[in-house]
Amino acid sequence: MAAVETNAELLRTIEDALWNTFKDKLPTKEEVEKLVSGFVDVYVDTMGCVPELKDMKMREQFVKLICIRYHKQQSVKQQKGVCLVDDSSDDNTPWLQAREGDISWYYWRRYKKYLGTKLHWGNEVVQAIDRDSKDVLRLCGDPAAEEGYSKKGLVVGNVQSGKTANYTGLICRAADAGYRYILVLAATTNDLRAQTQQRIEEGFVGRDVSRMAGNQPVRVGVGELRDSAPRYPNPGTTRIDDFKKAKMKTLMQIQASNVAEPWVFVLKKNTSTLKNIVTWLKSNVAADSSLLLIDDEADNASINTKKSKEEISKINSQIRELLGLFAKSTYVGYTATPYANILIDKDEIDEEFHKDLFPRNFIYTLNAADSYFGADKVFGDIDPEEYQVIGKPKYIRFIDDIFLMPPSAKELKIGELPESLKRAIRTFVLASVIRVNRAGDTHTSMLVNSSPYNAVQKKLQGLVDRYLDDVLKPQIRVYSSLSPDEATSNSAEIKELAEIWKDEFAGDSLSWESALKQMNGIVGRINTKLVNSKSKDGLDYNGGVQHVIAIGGYRLSRGLTLEGLLVSYYSRNSRAYDTLMQMSRWFGHRVGYEDICRVWMTEESAGWCRYVADATDELMGELVRMQQMHRTPLDFGLAVRSHPSALMVTARNKMGAGELRREVRLSGKTVETTALTRSQEAISHNMASANSLMTSLEATDHVGAFWGNDEDELGGRGVLYHNVPTAQIRAFVQMFNNCPESLLTKTDPILTQIAYCEEDGMDKWDVMFAGATSASCESVLEFECSEFKLRYQRRQPGARTNEQTVYVGNRSKVSTKYIECVGMSKQERSDAEEKAQSDKRLGVRASFGKCCLDRRRTPLLVVHFLDMRFKNEKEYNKAVTDGDKRLGALESRYWHSFDYSEPNVAYSICFPRLNHDRAVDYVFNKTALESMSFGDDVADEDSDIEDEYGD
């Protein structure tokens, strides 16, 4: 396929013709091959283009490549999104259906054609954007309405999943429907704003007004399509200019309301910029003007971060002021991390609900296409319950020399590149060779995000450049033309590359010998780019094919798209849900090369990423359930706020209150004692509580049966009792000495939820005394229950363990995987599994355990006899030296040796979903809140909003 590298222009020309020919139908494979072969014959035989393709074998490969690329794009599937709407609101009156037939849809039809014929997006993906953009527009206000309105909504999509393409579709439709002013708030940095400006120009405006061809702006994107009567919106910003004072003064000379086409502005979230646009709009907004305000990355900078209700952060107040200038305004936030947008205090709703940016009218979730390289795929082999790796990960590679990288200190010197980063760079070179071989000469990128500090990033760039220029490139240049045996014998770098090829890519259709010969043509063009506010480097994918290693921090974590991203090296530590997910730039659509993508991170970070992804999926699953129940965005906001996982998200922002009273919904949830008191008195007391429950069951003629066998160990092993009266459960919980740091098992809220179950008709319980599930986890400690002998469950002490408290691991997990199914029949479990698979097909990721909770009608109490100790000396040394990236290291004074053992008792409760869901009250003092928090993130030097503009 060497000819493919030199025929990128012909490849693109034929693909454009192919997609344009079949823009209105889905062809058969035979039709595609016939058309492509015909095009190639004309270009090669008739027009004399690309002499290399006169070789028939090479021509067949070229035709096959184009056909494969086309079918892969067309095979991508995408489901329609899901929404919550407040139908009771006066300004949510349906309007689009009545007007739809009278709207020309010029801008939308043009954009839709562009997606297919120029971007080569598959029919199903384009249709999903068609449906989603129309549905979101329907939820917006009618720009032709006589009465005013102020609507607010939120659209939630995965990181790097196509949110920009979706809101570009919404912009096109809004312009067609009659919106006169469209404002896009696009991040807090110049490069991210410019990237969004380019996307809007390509998908909506059709021209780059910062470049001229003669006396006309250069046509781009939709502007390049054939159009006998082209229309162009009025851009108030360009790729090189935000809305500065000079631009404002120039536009002051234009009466905006007299211009026929709509106005569009792509603005940075900057106080001076927003001040300028407010000033200009005040002079131009007519009484009946309508505004669509798109807030990209709506959780970033737009949220009111002031603790006092009387104070409002500056940018938040300016956004409100913008909306207030219009009698008819619609605010739509777009984000992948909606926590801050929907987590509002119930007590503040009456005062702030209509003033702030809470999405009171609608919340819409976008489903990603099945080509999306997201958490399901990246972290698919991280155990969803234990948050540990199962076998060899498919995409994740672990960083085990993290101590060489500077995690926080600005002054820390970097003497050399970690071996893990060298291996990642070598892997990038090989993956780039495969990518180019498959797709022709195309962009490939690598991401390196290792420090929040600009100076450290610059130092790291220098080391990477030195490694590339002095070591890797020279050896590939000299030895890649030799035979594989000669090359590996003479070059240490070629030998390392050969080993990586064997480990990572041996199954690829490209042979190692062919890859070696093509390598020099790729590695010679690889360069590094420093992506931060102090650097003049820029990621420009428009000036020709790029093979780039991007090194940075914040700017690589917020909105910036790296084209053809193959390898990510992430050695950062983030303590917040939203920050951790936003840093996941390795997510995205990887059609045709997903299998060669790799992500380097620590094992702890991988576990936390899976943990956060699961928590997010559960919240989004809650949204789907609430949609089916016809609930409102406010209901969802309160539900998220009362979700146990939300405590970790919100607690840190509430520290100033000293005490937090929070309603939490435990219906359909599992709670566990994740922290245990270490005093011998408390341990003895809880052992007695467990034995007392066991004795009372035997005394009341309950017969324990063994649960779990070699064929079916779902939920683990143990002795299971059915039909246990609520009174015995209540007595156990009342007697159990709950550790104050085990926040969700506070006695009073648990007793309240037990009462709720009883009132809902669930007055009989299942109870299991759990034993070890496998030889690798068994303890030497044993207990007897109903004539069965079981061993204690071994659990590892967590990093936060101290003199008074032992934390059960670092992931707050006590029970065995799928504990929620214990006591359910095989048919009930089968139904739950089918529901999980059905939800997955609809784009909703629901775990088997969650589906079990939704189906079971009997609450479950599991009592765990625990042997708190380390698995081996290696795990102990790791815990007390390297520790956990988020939580730090365990202090050895609190656990003095690897073989030290400490018995204890814990419990888990699986609460079924109630028919009448109610919340229970939790009260947390400041100490408790701090124990929930992981501390503050180390802020990137680029994370603040860029300096305000002068004149």
Side-chain angles (χ1 to χ4, degrees):
M1 291 304 285
V4 173
E5 298 176 39
T6 60
N7 293 316
E9 185 177 349
L10 178 60
L11 181 77
R12 183 72 187 191
T13 300
I14 293 177
E15 284 188 328
D16 283 351
L18 171 63
W19 283 85
N20 195 56
T21 300
F22 294 121
K23 63 180 180 294
D24 297 322
K25 62 168 287 190
L26 191 62
T28 64
K29 290 185 177 181
E30 291 75 18
E31 288 174 323
V32 172
E33 185 174 355
K34 181 179 179 180
L35 186 72
V36 173
S37 297
F39 280 138
V40 174
D41 290 346
V42 169
Y43 279 103
V44 177
D45 297 333
T46 305
M47 301 175 63
C49 300
V50 195
E52 298 97 320
L53 293 181
K54 288 187 179 294
D55 181 311
M56 295 309 296
K57 183 176 180 180
M58 191 169 288
R59 188 183 305 195
E60 288 175 5
Q61 290 179 321
F62 189 67
V63 170
K64 183 179 179 181
L65 170 67
I66 296 175
C67 293
I68 289 173
R69 283 163 59 100
Y70 178 80
H71 290 303
K72 279 186 176 178
Q73 289 287 1
Q74 285 290 20
S75 67
V76 176
K77 310 296 182 186
Q78 184 169 349
Q79 298 288 333
K80 178 184 174 182
V82 175
C83 68
L84 285 181
V85 183
D86 184 1
D87 290 323
S88 64
S89 175
D90 292 337
D91 54 5
N92 266 1
T93 305
W95 62 274
L96 185 57
Q97 186 174 0
R99 288 193 55 211
E100 189 170 358
D102 298 326
I103 299 173
S104 69
W105 300 116
Y106 171 82
Y107 286 117
W108 165 250
R109 294 182 195 278
R110 186 174 69 166
Y111 179 57
K112 183 177 181 180
K113 183 179 180 181
Y114 168 71
L115 292 176
T117 62
K118 292 296 183 181
L119 297 189
H120 304 164
W121 289 16
N123 289 355
E124 285 215 17
V125 175
V126 175
Q127 289 302 320
I129 294 176
D130 188 340
R131 294 189 300 267
D132 288 335
S133 59
K134 182 186 288 187
D135 285 347
V136 175
L137 178 66
R138 184 181 293 116
L139 299 170
C140 297
D142 179 5
E146 294 183 1
E147 295 184 2
Y149 54 80
S150 176
K151 302 192 73 170
K152 297 182 178 71
L154 183 69
V155 178
V156 182
N158 292 290
V159 174
Q160 293 285 297
S161 65
K163 295 185 295 297
T164 305
N166 186 277
Y167 72 64
T168 302
L170 174 61
I171 288 170
C172 292
R173 287 192 177 279
D176 288 327
Y179 273 93
R180 296 290 302 148
Y181 297 90
I182 299 168
L183 272 59
V184 181
L185 302 183
T188 62
T189 61
N190 289 326
D191 47 2
L192 297 184
R193 191 210 68 82
Q195 177 180 269
T196 304
Q197 177 80 35
Q198 178 180 337
R199 301 280 180 83
I200 299 301
E201 287 173 354
E202 292 170 344
F204 176 49
V205 178
R207 300 193 291 191
D208 176 3
V209 296
S210 65
R211 296 185 295 150
M212 302 297 290
N215 60 352
Q216 292 292 323
V218 173
R219 294 187 181 188
V220 295
V222 293
E224 296 178 303
L225 299 174
R226 291 182 180 179
D227 192 336
S228 59
R231 293 166 51 192
Y232 300 104
N234 299 291
T237 53
T238 70
R239 299 184 193 188
I240 60 176
D241 275 329
D242 202 346
F243 201 69
K244 299 181 181 180
K245 281 188 177 180
K247 171 70 74 173
M248 178 189 68
K249 291 176 180 178
T250 300
L251 291 184
M252 280 292 190
Q253 302 171 33
I254 302 173
Q255 187 60 41
S257 59
N258 294 334
V259 178
E261 298 297 335
W263 287 87
V264 59
F265 301 82
V266 181
L267 307 168
K268 192 170 65 173
K269 295 182 188 179
N270 173 280
T271 55
S272 291
T273 300
L274 296 179
K275 179 181 177 182
N276 292 339
I277 193 68
V278 167
T279 301
W280 183 78
L281 287 172
K282 283 180 177 179
S283 302
N284 282 278
V285 175
D288 62 346
S289 293
S290 53
L291 168 70
L292 172 64
L293 194 156
I294 303 286
D295 189 355
D296 194 9
E297 306 285 359
D299 63 309
N300 184 30
S302 302
I303 303 299
N304 183 20
T305 55
K306 299 294 185 180
K307 286 187 172 68
S308 169
K309 297 179 188 178
E310 289 72 32
E311 292 185 90
I312 301 174
S313 55
K314 185 64 175 176
I315 289 179
N316 180 267
S317 68
Q318 289 177 307
I319 294 174
R320 296 192 203 185
E321 185 178 6
L322 270 174
L323 297 170
L325 295 176
F326 292 81
K328 296 177 289 188
S329 67
T330 298
Y331 168 92
V332 184
Y334 278 76
T335 184
T337 50
Y339 310 107
N341 302 85
I342 56 182
L343 290 171
I344 63 171
D345 276 345
K346 177 173 70 69
D347 296 336
E348 295 182 15
I349 291 174
D350 291 338
E351 299 175 35
E352 297 291 341
F353 188 66
H354 292 281
K355 297 178 183 178
D356 209 342
L357 303 179
F358 179 80
R360 59 189 173 86
N361 294 101
F362 65 89
I363 300 174
Y364 195 99
T365 62
L366 301 172
N367 281 318
D370 61 6
S371 62
Y372 180 62
F373 186 67
D376 266 359
K377 294 177 180 177
V378 177
F379 304 112
D381 35 28
I382 305 295
D383 190 299
E385 300 295 331
E386 305 296 333
Y387 302 104
Q388 296 176 356
V389 178
I390 305 170
K392 180 183 178 181
K394 185 174 182 179
Y395 301 108
I396 300 292
R397 298 294 177 263
F398 294 125
I399 300 173
D400 55 7
D401 49 5
I402 190 67
F403 65 94
L404 293 175
M405 298 300 294
S408 58
K410 292 183 184 182
E411 67 279 1
L412 191 59
K413 305 297 183 182
I414 316 173
E416 59 180 329
L417 287 183
E419 283 301 319
S420 59
L421 182 50
K422 292 180 183 178
R423 184 175 177 88
I425 293 171
R426 296 181 191 118
T427 304
F428 172 59
V429 171
L430 296 174
S432 295
V433 171
I434 296 174
R435 172 86 170 117
V436 169
N437 183 74
R438 292 178 183 179
D441 203 12
T442 188
H443 303 303
T444 64
S445 300
M446 175 178 173
L447 174 155
V448 179
N449 189 341
S450 293
S451 172
Y453 299 113
N454 294 338
V456 175
Q457 294 162 15
K458 184 174 179 60
K459 176 68 173 176
L460 184 59
Q461 182 192 29
L463 290 174
V464 173
D465 281 338
R466 187 186 309 165
Y467 171 66
L468 286 172
D469 297 337
D470 298 347
V471 181
L472 188 60
K473 289 183 180 182
Q475 293 197 36
I476 291 176
R477 184 171 59 251
V478 172
Y479 298 108
S480 61
S481 61
L482 301 179
S483 69
D485 288 342
E486 288 178 306
T488 54
S489 297
N490 287 281
S491 168
E493 284 297 319
I494 299 291
K495 185 177 180 180
E496 291 286 348
L497 288 162
E499 288 297 321
I500 294 172
W501 183 272
K502 181 180 177 181
D503 292 343
E504 302 287 352
F505 308 122
D508 194 79
S509 59
L510 183 68
S511 68
W512 163 242
E513 183 176 7
S514 297
L516 181 61
K517 291 185 181 302
Q518 297 176 38
M519 206 177 298
N520 189 49
I522 300 296
V523 75
R525 292 188 288 161
I526 291 177
N527 62 89
T528 64
K529 296 289 185 181
L530 187 60
V531 185
N532 62 39
S533 61
K534 302 298 183 183
S535 170
K536 295 181 180 179
D537 290 352
L539 283 173
D540 181 10
Y541 292 99
N542 297 309
V545 172
Q546 296 287 318
H547 302 296
V548 62
I549 299 175
I551 301 168
Y554 174 80
R555 296 191 182 204
L556 294 178
S557 306
R558 275 285 179 181
L560 193 65
T561 297
L562 300 176
E563 300 290 346
L565 181 61
L566 296 173
V567 172
S568 299
Y569 187 90
Y570 173 76
S571 56
R572 292 285 301 279
N573 175 25
S574 176
R575 298 174 173 85
Y577 274 24
D578 50 0
T579 308
L580 190 63
M581 293 309 291
Q582 282 293 349
M583 284 188 174
S584 303
R585 291 293 109 183
W586 46 83
F587 295 156
H589 296 282
R590 307 282 184 262
V591 179
Y593 63 101
E594 172 188 299
D595 60 310
I596 58 174
C597 294
R598 298 292 183 267
V599 179
W600 263 261
M601 59 171 50
T602 65
E603 189 169 352
E604 291 86 357
S605 290
W608 281 115
C609 284
R610 179 61 191 261
Y611 181 91
V612 171
D614 285 351
T616 303
D617 286 338
E618 188 171 344
L619 295 181
M620 293 303 100
E622 186 77 3
L623 186 144
V624 174
R625 187 182 72 85
M626 297 190 78
Q627 183 218 24
Q628 295 168 347
M629 298 171 64
H630 304 290
R631 297 290 181 85
T632 69
L634 178 57
D635 293 329
F636 180 61
L638 295 176
V640 171
R641 183 176 170 273
S642 63
H643 192 285
S645 295
L647 292 171
M648 206 181 299
V649 182
T650 58
R652 194 159 49 245
N653 293 330
K654 298 296 181 181
M655 290 295 182
E659 181 177 274
L660 172 66
R661 183 176 295 274
R662 177 56 55 85
E663 290 184 342
V664 176
R665 283 174 166 77
L666 298 179
S667 173
K669 307 293 189 302
T670 297
V671 296
E672 302 184 312
T673 47
T674 57
L676 306 170
T677 303
R678 298 183 71 180
S679 73
Q680 191 56 52
E681 180 182 1
I683 294 172
S684 298
H685 179 88
N686 287 340
M687 287 282 186
S689 301
N691 288 319
S692 176
L693 175 61
M694 196 184 302
T695 301
S696 71
L697 292 174
E698 298 293 341
T700 51
D701 297 326
H702 286 88
V703 179
F706 189 76
W707 175 270
N709 53 56
D710 292 338
E711 295 179 358
D712 185 5
E713 282 194 14
L714 290 178
R717 292 178 177 175
V719 179
L720 178 66
Y721 297 85
H722 293 293
N723 299 315
V724 178
T726 299
Q728 289 176 273
I729 308 301
R730 186 181 292 113
F732 169 77
V733 172
Q734 287 175 326
M735 185 177 179
F736 190 89
N737 187 343
N738 186 68
C739 177
E741 280 69 40
S742 184
L743 301 173
L744 288 177
T745 49
K746 283 175 170 280
T747 302
D748 288 345
I750 295 299
L751 290 174
T752 300
Q753 188 66 26
I754 290 172
Y756 289 165
C757 290
E758 193 170 27
E759 292 171 17
D760 216 46
M762 300 178 191
D763 56 354
K764 301 294 184 183
W765 284 59
D766 289 335
V767 175
M768 185 171 84
F769 292 88
T773 59
S774 66
S776 63
C777 292
E778 285 181 350
S779 164
V780 296
L781 304 176
E782 294 181 334
F783 70 96
E784 290 189 11
C785 180
S786 188
E787 301 182 356
F788 294 100
K789 184 175 288 187
L790 291 169
R791 292 194 175 188
Y792 280 40
Q793 295 176 301
R794 186 192 63 80
R795 295 292 182 264
Q796 185 163 304
R800 288 179 289 173
T801 295
N802 55 47
E803 187 175 4
Q804 291 79 33
T805 305
V806 57
Y807 287 84
V808 184
N810 293 329
R811 303 290 185 269
S812 302
K813 190 68 181 173
V814 177
S815 60
T816 305
K817 185 177 181 179
Y818 300 143
I819 195 74
E820 297 88 353
C821 77
V822 167
M824 296 175 66
S825 68
K826 285 189 175 182
Q827 184 59 52
E828 289 172 328
R829 282 178 279 160
S830 177
D831 291 344
E833 178 61 29
E834 173 57 33
K835 180 61 167 62
Q837 294 302 320
S838 174
D839 284 349
K840 187 174 182 179
R841 288 191 291 270
L842 293 174
V844 179
R845 187 164 169 265
S847 70
F848 169 69
K850 182 67 177 174
C851 291
C852 286
L853 277 177
D854 287 344
R855 272 159 176 68
R856 69 177 305 141
R857 298 304 299 159
T858 305
L860 170 68
L861 167 67
V862 181
V863 179
H864 305 272
F865 288 91
L866 300 182
D867 182 1
M868 299 299 301
R869 66 179 178 86
F870 283 88
K871 184 177 182 179
N872 51 45
E873 189 170 7
K874 179 182 178 181
E875 292 298 318
Y876 173 77
N877 290 337
K878 181 179 178 181
V880 298
T881 54
D882 299 338
D884 183 272
K885 278 277 289 178
R886 281 176 159 273
L887 305 175
L890 170 66
E891 294 187 46
S892 58
R893 59 177 171 151
Y894 297 134
W895 212 272
H896 55 78
S897 67
F898 82 92
D899 54 355
Y900 175 68
S901 171
E902 196 169 278
N904 217 312
V905 179
Y907 74 80
S908 307
I909 294 182
C910 299
F911 287 112
R913 191 171 295 283
L914 301 178
N915 293 319
H916 305 288
D917 192 5
R918 287 182 284 179
V920 295
D921 286 327
Y922 282 82
V923 178
F924 304 102
N925 59 26
K926 188 170 184 178
T927 302
L929 293 175
E930 289 171 345
S931 73
M932 279 191 289
S933 167
F934 300 132
D936 294 328
D937 284 327
V938 177
D940 282 52
E941 291 183 329
D942 282 349
S943 62
D944 293 332
I945 298 168
E946 284 188 343
D947 294 340
E948 298 179 4
Y949 289 115
D951 293 337

